[in-house]
Amino acid sequence: MALSTSAASTTALKTLLLLLLLCVSAAIYIENDAEELPKSDVDLLEFPLNLEYLEAEFFSWGAFGRGLDRLAPNLAMGGPPPIGAKKARLSPIVKDIIAQFALQEFGHLRAIKKTVPGFPRPLLNLSAASFATIMNNAFGKPLMPPFDPYANDINYLLASYVVPYVGLTGYVGANPKLQSSTAKRLVAGLLGVESGQDAVIRALLYERAMVKVLPYGYTVAEFTNRISMLRNKLGKGGLKDEGLIVKPAQGAEGRIAGNVLAGDKFSLAFDRTPEEILRIVYGSGKENKPGGFYPKGADGKIAKSYLADVVKYRG
């Protein structure tokens, strides 16, 4: 009986040791797998954090009247609070949609930072004046009174039209440059939801395409066309943006003017490089000249490399 008990104990001990060895091996494998993520993939995955921070704050403030500092302070990583963000005057349905977007963006921040180190939230300018400047530039003249993105449903949706689409074109552009399956899988997941957000925004605006945006006298469709033209101009990458109503030759299969989803001649999403994105979100048309939504510039190795070049040149 004693020998049987001893044998059983020995077997149990061997089993326990084997399980511990397997756990340690798995941990080492995971750690090594993370270390093998190419540096270029890390840089390309960190760059979108700039846009994800912007979207998270804009949607969160618009729906809840609060941002990351109150709702998910760990995600901000100590970065400065955004300038001018505030709660929007939204109808129940639009508020609910924007609230969903906000929480989705929180998830995007978590997903990226789970894969790469990330960086603190950069300084963001989400003031009404910042959006008013974009609209003024889009129309080539000051709109009076100044455009207020937080005033009502239509204004907020038009302001939202400015944001997610730029990010999704960046994901399309980054995907073929990625090397690891981990990075590709993450970008595919991010792109899917970002594209969905843009589709919802465009659909809500398309429903109101012929409605005039008060008190300006321009229709919703005209606003989207002007914004898209401005982004094409600033990005300097050719036609990579289209409004809600286009010439039939530019629509799907060259046969329709309605353009609820933007795409090339094959109805594939347009792509943008980090340089093109910086030119747009800075509002300057230059990847090395901060401004617009990023008064002090974007963060991450890619964005900082352009700012470093300016410092070297001035030095």
Side-chain angles (χ1 to χ4, degrees):
M1 186 71 174
L3 287 174
S4 177
T5 302
S6 177
S9 299
T10 301
T11 301
L13 181 59
K14 287 181 178 179
T15 302
L16 179 60
L17 289 173
L18 179 60
L19 288 173
L20 288 173
L21 181 60
L22 289 172
C23 289
V24 171
S25 298
I28 292 173
Y29 174 79
I30 292 172
E31 182 179 351
N32 288 339
D33 186 56
E35 289 176 353
E36 291 173 2
L37 196 68
K39 187 65 174 70
S40 60
D41 280 11
V42 173
D43 297 338
L44 287 168
L45 290 178
E46 285 190 325
F47 180 79
L49 280 174
N50 291 292
L51 278 299
E52 298 291 355
Y53 275 126
L54 189 156
E55 294 174 40
E57 290 290 5
F58 183 60
F59 291 143
S60 182
W61 276 96
F64 305 123
R66 296 176 291 176
L68 289 175
D69 291 326
R70 289 286 301 277
L71 302 177
N74 60 310
L75 292 177
M77 295 175 65
I83 300 168
K86 63 180 182 180
K87 189 173 184 178
R89 292 190 285 273
L90 303 175
S91 63
I93 183 64
V94 173
K95 179 181 177 180
D96 179 59
I97 291 170
I98 299 303
Q100 293 178 50
F101 286 0
L103 297 176
Q104 289 164 5
E105 295 305 330
F106 289 10
H108 290 180
L109 290 171
R110 295 184 199 281
I112 295 174
K113 293 179 182 183
K114 183 180 178 182
T115 309
V116 295
F119 49 77
R121 173 186 57 199
L123 179 64
L124 301 169
N125 186 352
L126 298 177
S127 66
S130 180
F131 284 94
T133 297
I134 292 172
M135 299 305 179
N136 290 345
N137 291 338
F139 282 91
K141 64 180 182 180
L143 296 182
M144 296 303 295
F147 182 86
D148 181 1
Y150 301 104
N152 51 56
D153 279 357
I154 288 182
N155 282 25
Y156 193 83
L157 289 171
L158 285 170
S160 298
Y161 178 90
V162 173
V163 183
Y165 181 73
V166 178
L168 81 85
T169 59
Y171 285 131
V172 175
N175 191 55
K177 299 176 183 177
L178 297 170
Q179 301 177 46
S180 68
S181 59
T182 297
K184 291 178 180 179
R185 183 166 57 250
L186 174 59
V187 164
L190 292 165
L191 177 58
V193 174
E194 291 289 337
S195 299
Q197 290 178 352
D198 181 64
V200 170
I201 292 168
R202 291 181 71 102
L204 289 171
L205 289 172
Y206 190 75
E207 186 180 18
R208 301 162 171 81
M210 294 299 108
V211 174
K212 289 191 175 181
V213 181
L214 300 177
Y216 308 112
Y218 298 106
T219 65
V220 166
E222 287 176 296
F223 263 84
T224 64
N225 290 342
R226 294 277 188 160
I227 294 167
S228 288
M229 288 171 60
L230 175 64
R231 291 191 297 211
N232 282 327
K233 178 182 176 181
L234 292 173
K236 299 178 182 178
L239 177 63
K240 295 188 176 181
D241 219 307
E242 296 174 337
L244 295 175
I245 305 294
V246 296
K247 295 177 180 179
Q250 285 183 261
E253 292 294 292
R255 297 171 58 184
I256 193 163
N259 198 45
V260 70
L261 295 179
D264 64 14
K265 64 179 180 179
F266 300 112
S267 291
L268 300 178
F270 293 106
D271 65 292
R272 282 195 172 103
T273 65
E275 294 86 350
E276 291 170 341
I277 290 173
L278 292 173
R279 293 167 194 159
I280 294 169
V281 298
Y282 286 171
S284 64
K286 296 181 180 180
E287 63 271 25
N288 58 4
K289 187 178 180 181
F293 293 125
Y294 300 86
K296 294 185 177 180
D299 209 335
K301 183 178 178 180
I302 293 175
K304 282 186 172 180
S305 68
Y306 298 109
L307 300 179
D309 288 341
V310 173
V311 171
K312 289 178 183 177
Y313 178 76
R314 290 175 179 174

